[in-house]
């Protein structure tokens, strides 16, 4: 068994020396390292020498970084499941009646009232749609920069290494979902709404806006979930 000081040194070795950020991989490597270190030290090696031997067996920092890139696919699948659970929870009690239904009803009523007094013709809806789209894109750009900036700074200090697992996941998922949502809004607003009858137009608008809000909420919850461990430090 490793001492508390040796366990701390091992954690520092994985996170700070080899720059690993995938928590699932770090946990698995900690178990492998612990067994291997115990075997080497039983042969008379010092902890420090054994640590170098185990690292070399994994191919050094490059080997561990490569392992993390492959392991990220497994972790991303787990994150996707967590996001799916977060989304599903929005439609279950108590969130369904406390948050989801009120939001959809509010947006529906607002869309109907606004659409009644400001029909699709004219510049009013163009300004609303373009303004909302620009604001959303700007907000997501700020989020992306806030996620990516620490890694960009780390490049100057440590050189080329893997981006943090949580940041890479969020960037990939937002980079996939946002274009789809925005393209759906553009196609729906400029080509679908003009050809559907009036009662359907505000309903479609409200469903789209509420879905956008649902994505933003679950995305924020995922961000808080993935970065919760940093908030405790």
């Amino acid at each position: 068994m490793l001492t508390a000081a040796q366990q701390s040194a091992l954690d520092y070795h994985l996170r700070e020396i080899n720059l690993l950020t995938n928590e699932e991989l770090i946990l698995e490597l900690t178990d492998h390292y612990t067994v291997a270190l115990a075997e080497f030290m039983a042969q008379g090696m010092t902890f420090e020498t054994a640590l170098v031997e185990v690292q070399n067996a994994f191919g050094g920092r490059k080997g561990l970084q490569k392992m993390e890139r492959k392991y990220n696919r497994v972790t991303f699948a787990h994150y996707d499941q967590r996001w799916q659970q977060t989304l599903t929870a929005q439609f279950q009690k108590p969130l369904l009646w406390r948050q989801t239904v009120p939001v959809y009803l509010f947006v529906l009523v607002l869309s109907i009232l606004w659409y009644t007094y400001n029909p699709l013709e004219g510049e009013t809806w163009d300004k609303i749609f373009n303004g909302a789209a620009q604001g959303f894109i700007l907000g997501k750009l700020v989020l992306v920069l806030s996620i990516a900036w620490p890694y960009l700074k780390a490049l100057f200090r440590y050189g080329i290494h893997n981006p943090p697992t949580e940041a890479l996941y969020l960037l990939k998922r937002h980079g996939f979902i946002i274009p789809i949502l925005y393209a759906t809004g553009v196609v729906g607003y400029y080509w679908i709404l003009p050809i559907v009858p009036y009662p359907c137009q505000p309903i479609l608008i409200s469903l789209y806006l509420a879905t956008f809000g649902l994505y933003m909420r679950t995305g924020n919850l995922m961000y808080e979930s993935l970065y919760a461990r940093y908030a405790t430090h």
Side-chain angles (χ1 to χ4, degrees):
M1 293 293 295
L2 300 181
T3 66
Q6 290 171 341
Q7 291 174 349
S8 297
L10 173 56
D11 190 70
Y12 182 87
H13 167 83
L14 294 173
R15 297 179 187 276
E16 304 298 331
I17 303 300
N18 290 287
L19 306 176
L20 301 178
T21 61
N22 187 310
E23 293 297 321
E24 295 181 355
L25 176 61
I26 289 174
L27 183 61
E28 186 171 328
L29 283 174
T30 298
D31 293 336
H32 286 296
Y33 262 78
T34 300
V35 173
L37 288 171
E39 293 178 353
F40 280 125
M41 288 189 292
Q43 300 171 12
M45 284 188 184
T46 64
F47 173 78
E48 291 75 15
T49 302
L51 194 61
V52 173
E53 288 295 327
V54 179
Q55 182 189 33
N56 291 337
F58 279 104
R61 179 193 287 183
K62 289 184 177 180
L64 289 169
Q65 290 269 306
K66 182 179 180 180
M67 182 183 298
E68 183 176 61
R69 289 193 294 273
K70 293 181 178 179
Y71 202 92
N72 278 344
R73 288 178 292 183
V74 176
T75 301
F76 285 3
H78 295 163
Y79 288 169
D80 284 339
Q81 292 174 358
R82 189 186 304 182
W83 200 326
Q84 183 179 1
Q85 292 169 356
T86 301
L87 178 62
T88 302
Q90 308 304 308
F91 296 93
Q92 296 175 344
K93 297 178 181 179
L95 293 180
L96 176 63
W97 302 112
R98 190 174 64 192
Q99 296 178 357
T100 307
V101 170
V103 168
Y104 270 85
L105 289 177
F106 173 77
V107 175
L108 175 60
V109 172
L110 185 64
S111 298
I112 292 175
L113 291 176
W114 189 271
Y115 202 91
T116 300
Y117 295 101
N118 297 274
L120 192 63
E121 293 78 9
E123 299 181 355
T124 302
W125 281 95
D126 287 336
K127 293 179 180 178
I128 294 175
F129 181 81
N130 293 331
Q134 292 171 6
F136 178 79
I137 292 174
L138 180 60
K140 286 304 177 182
L141 284 177
V142 172
L143 175 62
V144 167
L145 289 176
S146 68
I147 294 174
W149 180 243
Y151 172 71
L152 296 177
K153 292 192 299 183
L155 288 177
F156 293 97
R157 182 177 180 183
Y158 300 112
I160 300 298
H161 60 283
N162 296 340
T165 300
E166 296 90 346
L168 186 61
Y169 173 78
L170 290 172
L171 291 176
K172 283 190 172 183
R173 290 303 177 265
H174 287 315
F176 174 75
I177 297 174
I178 291 175
I180 293 178
L181 283 176
Y182 186 69
T184 301
V186 171
V187 172
Y189 176 74
Y190 288 107
W191 286 284
I192 296 179
L193 283 182
I195 63 175
V196 298
Y198 162 71
C200 295
Q201 292 171 343
I203 293 176
L204 290 177
I205 291 174
S206 66
L207 288 175
Y208 176 76
L209 293 177
T211 300
F212 228 128
L214 190 62
Y215 157 68
M216 293 176 64
R217 171 165 175 76
T218 56
N220 289 336
L221 291 174
M222 277 299 298
Y223 179 88
E224 294 173 1
S225 171
L226 295 178
Y227 281 85
R229 65 187 180 90
Y230 296 106
T232 60
H233 287 72

